[in-house]
Amino acid sequence: NDAQIESDFKISYGAETVFKSPEVTLYAAYSEVPDAFNPPLGYVMRDDFRKYHLFSSYAPRYEEVDWLMISIHEYELELYTDTGNNMSDVTHTFTPVSLIFGSGDSISYKVTRKSDRPDEAFTILDTSLQPGKHDGTYHTFRFESDSKRKINGSLSYIQSSLYAPATRYEASLNFLPKKELMFGLGYSNTSIKWNHAPETELQVLNATSRINFNPDLSINNLLQYDNFSKSLGVNSRLQWEYKPGAKFYFVVNQSYFD
């Protein structure tokens, strides 16, 4: 009946504002999704939340310095509450310095402070964690070589204390024999020292490729194996822009278990 339809009708909404100049970017946004929100088209990853998002960036250029192109300095805040204004999680991300050199290579340091307030027990890599207050800090150091080089790559080191002390190493190497082709390899190693469970070591190896047949047609492939699930995942995505602004995707996902 009409009364039932009206009672089930719920609205999700949001707003954002952006200021941009050659060196400064300011962004603010708010969004709200009610409890048990069920859109008639598509889906939402979570409901019953209010999200506050702030971002600021200062990126001066150094045209008179040969070895340095840009330095980037950023701060970002993401705050989630439920629709009753009870905080669920908050993340502060501060990038005191990210340098892009004249060579195109870059280095960066980022610190992230996260507070999580889950109201139910949850698991990470088969390790159970209790609801309540979880606070921790991530420190991320990263180096990237210029992506325009025929051979390029990246190195990362991440140290975190959220849920348990953990370290992660990441490395990637890409080969571009020509501008239409790219082949890549990646590896990461994550070690988590739980207070109430044996140490977890997760290793992930992946291989990627990209083929651009022409400006409108390309295919991306990913093979990934990890020692936790002991599975090999395959993802292939064909993208065709058959007219300006209109794209067709064909995606294949498959997993093979040990």
Side-chain angles (χ1 to χ4, degrees):
N1 57 40
D2 292 341
Q4 180 64 36
I5 293 175
E6 185 176 349
S7 66
D8 292 340
F9 185 72
K10 297 183 178 182
I11 298 176
S12 172
Y13 57 91
E16 65 179 14
T17 182
V18 181
F19 168 82
K20 297 197 77 169
S21 74
E23 295 185 348
V24 176
T25 299
L26 301 174
Y27 172 84
Y30 170 82
S31 57
E32 180 172 328
V33 176
D35 186 27
F37 180 67
N38 185 24
L41 181 64
Y43 66 94
V44 291
M45 296 296 293
R46 63 191 289 183
D47 60 5
D48 187 26
F49 75 84
R50 290 177 175 142
K51 178 183 177 181
Y52 305 84
H53 188 190
L54 299 174
F55 174 79
S56 63
S57 175
Y58 174 57
R61 289 183 170 270
Y62 301 88
E63 297 179 355
E64 298 180 357
V65 180
D66 292 336
W67 61 272
L68 182 61
M69 188 185 305
I70 305 172
S71 68
I72 301 171
H73 318 273
E74 296 178 337
Y75 170 74
E76 184 173 18
L77 167 68
E78 286 189 321
L79 172 65
Y80 284 88
T81 72
D82 61 22
T83 50
N85 288 325
N86 300 302
M87 191 182 78
S88 58
D89 57 87
V90 58
T91 303
H92 300 268
T93 302
F94 177 48
T95 304
V97 62
S98 175
L99 301 178
I100 302 177
F101 300 106
S103 62
D105 302 332
S106 65
I107 59 172
S108 64
Y109 167 65
K110 178 173 67 178
V111 58
T112 302
R113 179 68 179 178
K114 184 174 178 63
S115 297
D116 193 13
R117 304 289 187 273
D119 53 11
E120 296 180 355
F122 61 103
T123 61
I124 297 177
L125 298 173
D126 282 351
T127 299
S128 296
L129 295 169
Q130 296 302 309
K133 182 179 179 181
H134 298 273
D135 297 319
T137 303
Y138 294 80
H139 298 275
T140 303
F141 302 85
R142 184 170 178 83
F143 165 80
E144 291 185 73
S145 63
D146 186 1
S147 61
K148 296 179 182 178
R149 290 179 178 159
K150 182 169 289 189
I151 298 177
N152 63 76
S154 65
L155 294 170
S156 298
Y157 170 73
I158 304 169
Q159 184 182 64
S160 67
S161 59
L162 183 67
Y163 309 125
T167 56
R168 180 172 181 171
Y169 303 89
E170 298 176 340
S172 68
L173 184 66
N174 300 314
F175 175 51
L176 291 79
K178 51 197 308 187
K179 65 179 182 179
E180 296 87 2
L181 292 174
M182 187 280 289
F183 303 98
L185 290 174
Y187 173 77
S188 68
N189 181 294
T190 303
S191 177
I192 307 175
K193 297 182 179 179
W194 304 107
N195 295 324
H196 59 294
E199 181 178 347
T200 298
E201 183 173 5
L202 174 65
Q203 299 182 65
V204 180
L205 179 66
N206 63 67
T208 58
S209 68
R210 183 186 69 242
I211 304 173
N212 295 324
F213 300 102
N214 58 52
D216 301 321
L217 181 64
S218 65
I219 185 169
N220 290 268
N221 301 292
L222 168 67
L223 295 174
Q224 182 168 290
Y225 176 83
D226 72 86
N227 67 324
F228 181 75
S229 67
K230 300 188 184 304
S231 66
L232 176 67
V234 180
N235 173 273
S236 293
R237 186 184 70 174
L238 178 73
Q239 177 179 306
W240 174 36
E241 187 170 1
Y242 54 91
K243 64 179 181 179
K247 296 180 180 181
F248 169 81
Y249 295 94
F250 181 73
V251 180
V252 176
N253 289 302
Q254 183 66 47
S255 294
Y256 302 92
F257 291 92
D258 218 356

